């Protein structure tokens, strides 16, 4: 076999002191949010009224829940395009079950199980058959949309006395139920990712799948599981959506996968995997929601809103990419300091 | 004496702090086969990459036909008539043989379309020149490696190459294919082509070469005609170093057998039998590609076994993946630290804790204070600065990165520790520390298997040596009595496996 080039000993960058990249990682996105809110409050007089803020929170909850699940997938370096279609499929199944007389809690659970099952298919195909997740989930995205149309025969099924409609429209202690559910999802997701054994393994798979396997991480299981989590979150979002519109809509969630990906990336999670935080995803969702609502309050035409949103997404990703790049090779870095 | 076709003078190449080539020279005459030999890392491949235009030299001259030339790209190299046959071929396996041969200068019709007829006819003619009957319409990827190599040679011949470099050309060839290659080499020699032949196989070199040049650690050692040199001369030119006290360790006394492998077989290795004892350091020596890493990966469950069994403390161990092997008490520090070992963006703490999380959690929740304390304890043992604990591991030097990987397995406290090239790319200070750790681990009763391509290191740090060649262990000997020459003879096959050896097989 080939002889080896002498391996280059990399320059050590054991450095201390202020690190802009690290600082931006922690608070950069938050500053963007605060600036945006300040701007909106200044321009749109009704913006920071409590009822408006709660409305914003409710309007972002579905996208935020999708994005929370998707964060797990993207942290492993994967992608899930099917979450939007899962919203439709799970919502349709839950509504149909409720109409058929299934008790509300079970119908809701069924919706989530449908979502998780879709995730299991996505994950197993990606992990065990080593198929590209982009293609696998593109396929299930199409399939599940077809399934939603098939079950509903292409027509929305309106269920005016839907047993679980409070899930979308109710309030608890003055807070919309979808907002509470979103909060629970984020608390649980944060705990799992930041505090558990499993969470560390998710980061490890995304950071370097080969190294993770050799370090004893069951890479295939982790990969499968993150799609199940994304599917279950999408299932929950689908049930909330159905409850909100009190009907089964085969077109529900169309394009939501892209908004969710935008929120995750805006929140600083690397599409390459291994880097990012769930709190960033929440802020990313809020930014997108605030931006939409603010632009509506300012009477900006819908077409223009899209232009602005597109620019914001690209800007955010550009900042993210620029801050990580110049770190690696810095001329004149000091050589290794060995610890005492 | 005829004027040299190609002459290299004072060629130097530096990679960071490492001098890969230190003012080496080399010359080649027309119609000659000149073998270039040296241990792994001697600089042969770097020199070839410079000739091929894949790497730019830092200093030195390249003289072709008495005229100094510059090679900045593969295109320059082929314009000067220099062709390289790599082990990794520069071809497109999905395309046909004819398409590959025409790559880059496809014939066109008057309308600018691809002229398939002429392309096929050209290909037939090119193949005929090397007396090959390969069907040019077949997809290249459907041919054996040997036949693909023939296609590469046909291309070199068709481009009227005057200097042909063959880098370990027979590594993947069957015996018959190798014979066919030897015939072609003769044919080209008669046509006045100068051939540079890089190989580790002594018999082959002695069959083909007119002259032999040896490099060692990036420096030129010497050149001789085949009839002036013997294989053992070449081997001592290749190793020619003395073991300094870097490797000094007090004698160790190995305990009972901890790991016992029988008839272990993988896709390209085996059957292999081996034993590791508690408190023992065993080094697997051999050339790159001899199957050492594969054996380690089979034991560790990283690759599928095709046969054989492994017993650990007398219990069968047949791990389906590394996670199971780790549970059985095996650890492995992989060969390529950055690609296989580390999570470069993640903190030093997470890199070290990752394989022991099951012991640092309670009901799946990480006990953070305990995790931090355990990690710091291992970092201290590895003499890693404690304030590096939250830094991304990529911010550490190569030596410190390797120590972080070692700390991971120290924390895991596995009984059997496999280290694949643990000191590659590591500075001398960190090397010494890694040797001390290995010694300390062995003394604490661990069984340690080290793979090393650095012969003095392999001999110096171990109790016993296993020499591998072509996927098998061809020699098992105590390190105390071993010399570099001895190991090299076994590794290259200069001494036949069947020949009687004075060294007994240990245990």
């Amino acid at each position: 076999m080939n002889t080896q080039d002498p391996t280059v000993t990399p320059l050590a960058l054991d450095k201390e002191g202020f690190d802009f990249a690290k600082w931006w990682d922690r608070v950069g996105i938050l500053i963007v949010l605060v600036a945006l809110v300040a701007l909106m409050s200044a321009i749109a007089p009704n913006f920071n009224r409590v009822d408006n803020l709660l409305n914003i929170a409710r309007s972002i909850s579905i996208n935020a829940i999708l994005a929370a699940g998707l964060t797990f997938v993207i942290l492993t370096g994967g992608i899930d395009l099917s979450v939007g279609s899962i919203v439709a499929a799970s919502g349709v199944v839950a509504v149909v079950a409720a109409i058929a007389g299934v008790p509300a809690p079970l119908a809701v659970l069924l919706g989530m199980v449908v979502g998780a099952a879709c995730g299991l298919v996505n994950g197993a195909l990606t992990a065990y058959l080593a198929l590209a997740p982009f293609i696998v989930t593109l396929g299930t995205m199409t399939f599940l949309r077809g399934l939603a149309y098939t079950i509903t025969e292409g027509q929305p099924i309106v269920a005016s006395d839907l047993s679980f409609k409070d899930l979308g429209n109710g309030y608890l202690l003055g807070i919309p139920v979808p907002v509470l559910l979103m909060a629970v999802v984020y608390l649980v997701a944060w705990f799992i990712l930041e505090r558990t054994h499993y969470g560390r393994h998710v980061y490890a798979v995304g950071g370097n799948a080969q190294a993770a396997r050799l370090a004893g991480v069951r890479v295939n299981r982790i990969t499968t599981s993150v799609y199940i989590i994304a599917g279950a979150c999408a299932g929950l979002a689908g049930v909330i959506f159905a409850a909100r519109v009190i009907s089964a809509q085969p077109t529900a969630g169309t394009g939501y996968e892209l908004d969710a990906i935008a929120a995750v990336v805006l929140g600083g999670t690397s599409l390459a995997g291994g880097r990012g935080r769930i709190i960033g995803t929440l802020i990313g969702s809020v930014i997108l929601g605030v931006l939409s609502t603010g632009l509506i309050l300012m009477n900006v035409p819908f077409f223009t809103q899209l232009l602005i949103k597109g620019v914001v997404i690209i800007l955010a990703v550009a900042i993210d990419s620029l801050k990580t790049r110049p770190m690696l090779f810095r001329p004149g870095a000091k050589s290794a300091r060995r610890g005492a | 004496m005829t004027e040299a076709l190609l002459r290299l003078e004072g060629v130097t190449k530096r990679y960071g702090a490492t001098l890969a080539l230190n003012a080496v020279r080399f010359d080649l005459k027309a119609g000659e086969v000149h073998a270039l030999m040296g241990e792994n890392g001697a600089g042969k491949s770097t020199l070839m990459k410079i000739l091929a235009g894949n790497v730019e030299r830092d200093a030195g001259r390249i003289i072709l036909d008495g005229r100094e030339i510059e090679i900045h790209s593969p295109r320059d190299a082929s314009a000067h008539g220099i062709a390289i046959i790599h082990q990794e071929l520069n071809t497109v396996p999905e395309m046909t043989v004819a398409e590959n041969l025409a790559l880059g200068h496809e014939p066109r019709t008057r309308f600018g379309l691809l002229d398939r007829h002429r392309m096929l006819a050209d290909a037939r003619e090119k193949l005929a020149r090397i007396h090959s009957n390969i069907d040019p319409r077949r997809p290249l990827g459907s041919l054996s490696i040997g036949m693909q190599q023939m296609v590469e040679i046909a291309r070199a011949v068709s481009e009227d190459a005057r200097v042909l470099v063959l880098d370990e050309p027979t590594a993947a060839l069957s015996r018959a294919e190798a014979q066919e290659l030897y015939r072609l080499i003769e044919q080209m020699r008669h046509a006045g082509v100068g051939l540079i032949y890089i190989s580790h196989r002594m018999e082959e070199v002695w069959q083909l070469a007119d002259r032999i040049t040896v490099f060692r650690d990036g420096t030129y050692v010497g050149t001789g005609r085949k009839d002036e040199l013997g294989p053992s001369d070449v081997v001592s030119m290749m190793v020619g170093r003395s073991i300094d006290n870097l490797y000094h360790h007090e004698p160790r006394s190995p305990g009972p057998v901890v790991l016992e492998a029988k008839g272990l077989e993988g896709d390209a290795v085996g059957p292999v039998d081996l034993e590791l004892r508690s408190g023992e350091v065993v080094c697997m020596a051999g050339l790159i590609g001899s199957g050492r890493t594969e054996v380690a990966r089979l034991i560790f469950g990283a690759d599928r076994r095709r046969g054989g069994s492994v017993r650990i403390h007398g219990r069968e161990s047949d791990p389906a993946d590394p996670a199971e092997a780790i549970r059985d008490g095996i650890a492995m520090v992989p060969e390529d630290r950055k690609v296989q070992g580390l999570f470069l963006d993640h903190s030093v703490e997470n890199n070290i804790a990752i394989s022991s999380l099951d012991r640092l959690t309670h009901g799946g929740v990480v006990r953070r204070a305990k995790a931090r304390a355990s990690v710091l304890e291992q970092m201290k043992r590895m003499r890693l600065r404690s304030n590096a604990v939250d830094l991304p591991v990529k911010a550490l030097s190569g030596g410190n990165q390797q120590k972080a990987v070692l700390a991971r397995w120290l924390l895991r406290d596995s009984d059997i520790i496999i280290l694949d090239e643990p000191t590659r790319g590591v500075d001398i200070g960190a090397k010494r520390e890694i040797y001390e750790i290995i010694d300390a681990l062995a003394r604490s009763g661990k069984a340690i298997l080290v793979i090393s391509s650095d012969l003095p290191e392999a001999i110096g740090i171990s109790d016993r040596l296993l020499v591998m060649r072509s996927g098998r262990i061809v020699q098992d000997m105590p390190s105390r009595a071993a010399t570099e020459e001895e190991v090299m003879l076994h590794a290259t096959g200069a001494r036949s496996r069947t020949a009687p050896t004075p060294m007994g097989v240990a245990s």
Side-chain angles (χ1 to χ4, degrees):
Chain A
M1 281 277 140
N2 209 352
T3 51
Q4 213 69 29
D5 274 333
T7 312
V8 182
T9 308
L11 295 173
L13 297 171
D14 302 17
K15 61 182 182 318
E16 283 138 36
F18 185 69
D19 181 341
F20 174 76
K22 205 169 173 181
W23 174 81
W24 177 260
D25 233 4
R26 288 189 186 278
V27 297
I29 191 81
L30 206 57
I31 289 172
V32 171
L33 177 60
V34 169
L36 194 62
V37 169
L39 185 72
M40 291 299 171
S41 317
I43 303 174
N46 291 336
F47 182 83
N48 40 10
R49 278 175 41 191
V50 173
D51 57 342
N52 183 52
L53 291 180
L54 283 180
N55 263 332
I56 293 177
R58 184 167 60 191
S59 70
I60 65 169
S61 58
I62 287 177
N63 180 48
I65 290 172
L66 284 180
L70 203 57
T71 302
F72 283 77
V73 172
I74 292 179
L75 277 176
T76 65
I79 193 78
D80 190 344
L81 300 178
S82 70
V83 290
S85 294
I86 294 178
V87 165
S90 58
V92 165
V93 170
V95 169
V96 168
I99 290 173
V102 174
L106 274 185
V108 170
L109 192 66
L110 188 63
M112 289 184 69
V113 168
V114 167
C118 298
L120 173 64
V121 172
N122 284 334
L125 290 173
T126 301
Y128 293 95
L129 293 186
L131 302 179
F134 188 93
I135 304 301
V136 168
T137 59
L138 188 64
T140 51
M141 167 177 142
T142 310
F143 179 90
L144 292 170
R145 182 65 63 192
L147 188 69
Y149 278 122
T150 307
I151 295 174
T152 59
E153 293 172 335
Q155 297 299 320
I157 302 174
V158 180
S160 46
D161 55 350
L162 188 63
S163 58
F164 60 83
K165 66 180 174 193
D166 280 354
L167 215 56
N169 300 298
Y171 284 81
L172 200 66
L173 309 168
I175 299 170
V177 173
V179 176
L180 291 173
L181 289 171
M182 172 179 80
V184 170
V185 165
Y186 272 87
L187 274 175
V188 172
W190 174 84
F191 185 78
I192 292 175
L193 284 176
E194 301 277 329
R195 289 285 185 266
T196 67
H197 186 171
Y198 173 81
R200 301 256 182 129
H201 281 192
V202 168
Y203 278 94
V205 168
N208 183 344
Q210 201 183 349
R213 180 164 179 266
L214 292 177
V217 176
R218 298 234 144 100
V219 174
N220 287 344
R221 287 190 201 178
I222 299 287
T223 302
T224 307
S225 69
V226 293
Y227 287 90
I228 295 176
I229 290 172
C233 284
L236 177 63
V239 175
I240 295 173
F241 185 97
R244 183 106 186 92
V245 298
I246 322 185
S247 57
Q249 299 279 353
T251 55
T254 306
Y256 280 21
E257 61 281 343
L258 299 181
D259 282 341
I261 293 170
V264 175
V265 173
L266 208 55
T269 296
S270 158
L271 280 175
R275 229 158 31 84
R277 304 179 73 191
I278 189 74
I279 187 74
T281 300
L282 181 60
I283 297 172
S285 302
V286 174
I287 287 178
L288 286 177
V290 167
L291 197 63
S292 309
T293 319
L295 293 174
I296 293 168
L297 284 178
M298 284 152 60
N299 290 320
V300 175
F302 176 69
F303 301 159
T304 317
Q305 289 178 31
L306 292 182
L307 298 180
I308 294 174
K309 258 174 137 176
V311 170
V312 167
I313 291 169
I314 291 175
L315 266 180
V317 181
I319 291 171
D320 185 60
S321 147
L322 289 178
K323 77 167 196 269
T324 47
R325 210 169 297 157
M327 273 195 67
L328 260 178
F329 296 102
R330 189 174 299 171
K334 275 178 267 174
S335 60
R337 271 172 293 177
R338 210 164 296 119
Chain B
M1 213 167 160
T2 49
E3 170 61 24
L5 169 64
L6 175 75
R7 213 165 65 237
L8 306 175
E9 289 174 359
V11 174
T12 299
K13 176 70 198 175
R14 196 177 268 288
Y15 288 107
T18 316
L19 204 51
L21 283 176
N22 185 3
V24 297
R25 59 194 160 94
F26 187 83
D27 70 278
L28 180 70
K29 295 174 205 157
E32 161 187 67
V33 177
H34 192 157
L36 180 55
M37 302 193 76
E39 284 189 82
N40 304 326
K44 305 170 305 229
S45 284
T46 306
L47 188 72
M48 292 313 116
K49 282 180 193 156
I50 288 171
L51 273 181
N54 292 328
V55 164
E56 293 249 5
R57 67 192 191 281
D58 295 330
R61 307 202 302 153
I62 303 174
I63 299 148
L64 187 70
D65 277 334
R67 233 161 27 90
E68 184 164 353
I69 59 166
E70 285 298 326
I71 302 175
H72 298 298
S73 67
R75 192 172 279 271
D76 288 349
S78 78
H80 286 300
I82 299 172
I84 318 271
I85 312 292
H86 289 286
Q87 296 157 293
E88 298 91 24
L89 303 165
N90 292 318
T91 47
V92 188
E94 292 80 11
M95 296 183 3
T96 65
V97 171
E99 284 166 337
N100 269 288
L101 282 171
L103 208 58
H105 35 80
E106 290 86 352
R108 286 170 198 281
T109 63
R110 272 179 299 153
F111 309 110
L113 299 172
L114 185 63
D115 188 343
R116 296 199 160 272
H117 269 289
R118 228 178 81 212
M119 189 169 77
L120 209 57
D122 287 354
R124 289 218 166 87
E125 189 206 315
K126 286 171 187 171
L127 290 165
R129 278 176 73 177
I130 63 163
H131 306 292
S132 166
N133 54 5
I134 295 170
D135 180 352
R137 288 166 304 187
R138 284 181 66 180
L140 190 81
S142 71
L143 304 177
S144 70
I145 298 289
M147 283 161 87
Q148 293 187 34
Q149 226 165 41
M150 298 292 164
V151 174
E152 280 279 90
I153 292 172
R155 170 159 53 192
V157 170
S158 74
E159 286 169 2
D160 293 317
R162 308 179 51 214
V163 174
L164 185 65
V165 183
L166 297 145
D167 190 357
E168 293 273 354
T170 56
L173 301 195
S174 70
R175 197 158 199 87
E177 285 174 333
Q179 292 301 332
E180 179 66 15
L181 179 72
Y182 299 157
R183 184 189 63 71
L184 255 178
I185 288 173
E186 282 306 318
Q187 185 190 332
M188 281 184 282
R189 190 214 307 256
H190 285 298
V193 176
L195 293 111
I196 303 176
Y197 197 89
I198 300 178
S199 175
H200 281 306
R201 300 190 182 181
M202 287 287 177
E203 324 132 53
E204 190 171 284
V205 167
W206 250 259
Q207 183 183 340
L208 294 170
D210 301 298
R211 287 190 299 160
I212 296 157
T213 287
V214 175
F215 281 8
R216 180 174 69 227
D217 296 336
T219 57
Y220 171 89
V221 179
T223 304
R225 283 209 316 277
K226 174 168 65 177
D227 47 20
E228 302 167 343
L229 293 170
S232 57
D233 297 325
V234 171
V235 168
S236 47
M237 282 164 79
M238 280 160 68
V239 293
R241 276 168 302 191
S242 60
I243 302 169
D244 64 12
N245 61 5
L246 186 60
Y247 313 112
H248 176 78
H249 59 85
E250 299 298 316
R252 290 179 288 252
S253 40
V257 172
V258 177
L259 177 142
E260 189 182 11
K262 278 219 162 68
L264 204 57
E265 257 183 287
D267 287 337
V269 295
V272 164
D273 295 345
L274 66 87
E275 275 182 2
L276 298 178
R277 291 169 179 277
S278 145
E280 180 185 41
V281 179
V282 175
C283 261
M284 274 207 272
L287 303 169
I288 288 173
S290 59
R292 298 167 299 168
T293 297
E294 287 78 356
V295 168
R297 289 178 60 93
L298 288 176
I299 294 173
F300 192 57
D303 291 334
R304 273 247 161 271
R305 282 180 203 167
R306 288 175 66 188
S309 67
V310 175
R311 292 183 160 273
I312 292 170
H313 295 301
R315 262 210 318 273
E316 187 75 25
S317 165
D318 187 12
D321 60 13
E324 283 181 24
I326 292 166
R327 235 175 16 214
D328 287 344
I330 310 177
M332 185 175 84
V333 174
E335 190 176 9
D336 189 330
R337 173 166 72 232
K338 285 193 177 159
V339 175
Q340 304 171 311
L342 291 168
F343 308 95
L344 289 170
D345 285 329
H346 297 177
S347 70
V348 171
E349 172 172 347
N350 281 339
N351 270 280
I352 293 174
I354 186 73
S355 297
S356 307
L357 285 175
D358 52 338
R359 293 177 184 163
L360 300 172
T361 51
H362 186 77
V365 180
V366 178
R367 299 165 72 180
R368 296 197 299 157
K370 186 179 176 192
R372 165 69 56 126
S374 318
V375 165
L376 283 174
E377 185 191 330
Q378 297 310 328
M379 286 175 71
K380 192 172 170 195
R381 218 167 133 195
M382 289 306 309
R383 275 174 258 166
L384 278 166
R385 240 172 357 118
S386 64
N387 59 0
V389 67
D390 288 322
L391 285 178
V393 78
K394 71 180 172 200
L396 304 182
S397 70
N400 284 344
Q401 287 181 359
Q402 186 68 319
K403 289 203 275 178
V405 182
L406 277 167
R408 175 190 300 166
W409 296 114
L410 256 50
L411 177 57
R412 182 72 211 184
D413 199 25
S414 310
D415 289 345
I416 296 153
I417 301 172
I418 302 170
L419 304 152
D420 195 350
E421 302 285 3
T423 63
R424 182 185 288 167
V426 159
D427 63 88
I428 192 87
K431 253 185 200 182
R432 187 183 292 274
E433 287 177 276
I434 290 169
Y435 298 149
E436 284 167 15
I437 290 286
I438 290 173
D439 185 49
L441 285 171
R443 274 173 210 292
S444 71
K446 310 288 185 198
I448 298 176
L449 181 64
V450 181
I451 296 172
S452 174
S453 293
D454 181 339
L455 267 185
E457 168 182 294
I459 294 169
I461 66 171
S462 65
D463 300 302
R464 196 151 57 83
L465 282 164
L466 303 173
V467 185
M468 285 198 71
R469 173 157 45 89
S470 308
R472 287 166 180 255
I473 292 175
V474 293
Q475 182 72 346
D476 181 338
M477 57 186 168
S479 309
R480 193 159 284 280
T483 63
E484 289 179 55
E485 286 80 358
E486 174 86 16
V487 175
M488 208 61 193
L489 288 171
H490 289 293
T492 56
R495 174 176 297 174
S496 150
R497 179 183 338 169
T498 50
T501 58
M503 300 295 169
V505 176
S507 59

